[in-house]
Amino acid sequence: MQLWKSLVNLFLQSNCPLCQRPASEEFCEYCHKQLQKCRLTGSNNSKNNLSSPPVIAWGAYGGAIKRAIATMKYNNHPEIARPLGEWLGEVWLQEYGSKGSFMVVPIPMHPEKQKERGFNQAELIAKSFCETTGLKLKVNGLQRVKATEALFGLSPIERKETLTQAFDIGKDFRKPPNVPVILIDDIYTTGTTVNSAVEILSKSGITVSGVAAVAVPHRGKLYKEFIGKVG
Ligand SMILES: [Zn+2]
């Protein structure tokens, strides 16, 4: 059913998934403009923050990008991941160029949840990110071994408890890679998910050099939990 819906969406590509108006690209001109308003300017990116590994992001979470991510995840529009991954890849190229050798690992979903949704948006974003940047994709670098409830509304301690041992090393990294890893997620909020992933990778001697997310909360709310925990 999920696959069928995805196929139907492919054929209906002439309608913008956010407003149903006709569109020649993924989004109609209006929504594209609204989305571009969410884009962070260079100074908002993590170079100026003290987080380690650094977080790079395309946009500030809210408005059109919030709507686009929700539509992708909850209204079965996996095709939205492609432009998002491409934009994120462009930010990466602007910040770091094509230097450095990294492996790109999406934050995995629990298999049951992924079956329900039909896709893992972080994986699709990572795929498109890699097509843009030329970096190597390792879809199964990590695996999610614990189904977790939505983190929304939980306190920092509850979030951490929920995510403890949520991940394990995936089959792609049974033999650890000899280059550092970049993690990809759709939204980076408090960093609890990423911290949990970094922890398990570090235990296996794998270095995480950075996190790339399509959207992050506005400045100030970010990095609180992240700073100083990973190094
Ligand atoms: Zn639209």
Side-chain angles (χ1 to χ4, degrees):
M1 190 58 196
Q2 291 285 357
L3 179 69
W4 173 244
K5 272 207 251 167
S6 305
L7 283 172
V8 169
N9 283 333
L10 265 181
F11 291 113
L12 294 179
Q13 235 173 21
S14 54
N15 280 350
C16 172
L18 301 186
C19 69
Q20 317 312 324
R21 273 179 275 212
S24 54
E25 308 272 325
E26 271 89 359
F27 305 110
C28 72
E29 236 173 272
Y30 172 80
C31 289
H32 191 264
K33 255 189 214 148
Q34 296 303 109
L35 279 162
Q36 294 307 314
K37 284 184 191 162
C38 304
R39 187 175 186 154
L40 292 166
T41 53
S43 61
N44 276 336
N45 257 309
S46 68
K47 266 191 188 163
N48 302 319
N49 289 291
L50 297 170
S51 63
S52 171
V55 179
I56 71 155
W58 173 81
Y61 190 60
I65 191 65
K66 185 176 174 181
R67 214 165 57 241
I69 291 173
T71 303
M72 168 176 71
K73 282 154 78 163
Y74 308 120
N75 294 340
N76 193 36
H77 279 283
E79 78 279 10
I80 289 178
R82 204 197 56 78
L84 301 187
E86 192 182 305
W87 298 342
L88 184 58
E90 283 163 6
V91 174
W92 176 272
L93 291 176
Q94 265 170 30
E95 298 273 321
Y96 303 106
S98 49
K99 56 184 179 212
S101 182
F102 302 98
M103 279 185 184
V104 173
V105 177
I107 295 292
M109 263 169 107
H110 191 270
E112 266 165 44
K113 201 172 163 194
Q114 186 164 340
K115 213 168 148 194
E116 212 174 280
R117 186 170 294 168
F119 59 93
N120 171 10
Q121 69 282 349
E123 181 183 324
L124 300 180
I125 291 165
K127 207 171 157 193
S128 167
F129 176 87
C130 287
E131 279 164 16
T132 303
T133 57
L135 294 173
K136 262 186 226 127
L137 177 66
K138 289 289 173 190
V139 168
N140 297 304
L142 283 166
Q143 57 176 324
R144 201 152 193 149
V145 288
K146 195 165 121 187
T148 50
E149 296 299 311
L151 297 178
F152 182 77
L154 296 182
S155 74
I157 293 166
E158 285 168 332
R159 277 170 182 257
K160 197 167 187 303
E161 278 169 4
T162 303
L163 281 161
T164 300
Q165 294 171 336
F167 300 104
D168 201 354
I169 297 297
K171 62 173 190 267
D172 286 351
F173 284 172
R174 296 275 148 78
K175 181 177 175 280
N178 50 8
V179 296
V181 161
I182 307 291
L183 293 171
I184 302 260
D185 211 352
D186 51 346
I187 310 164
Y188 178 99
T189 48
T190 60
T192 318
T193 307
V194 162
N195 281 340
S196 179
V198 170
E199 212 173 288
I200 190 77
L201 288 166
S202 303
K203 271 186 196 157
S204 300
I206 300 164
T207 310
V208 179
S209 281
V211 181
V214 173
V216 293
H218 290 279
R219 279 181 101 179
K221 288 183 185 168
L222 186 58
Y223 309 125
K224 259 191 271 172
E225 288 183 40
F226 206 63
I227 297 170
K229 284 202 173 170
V230 197

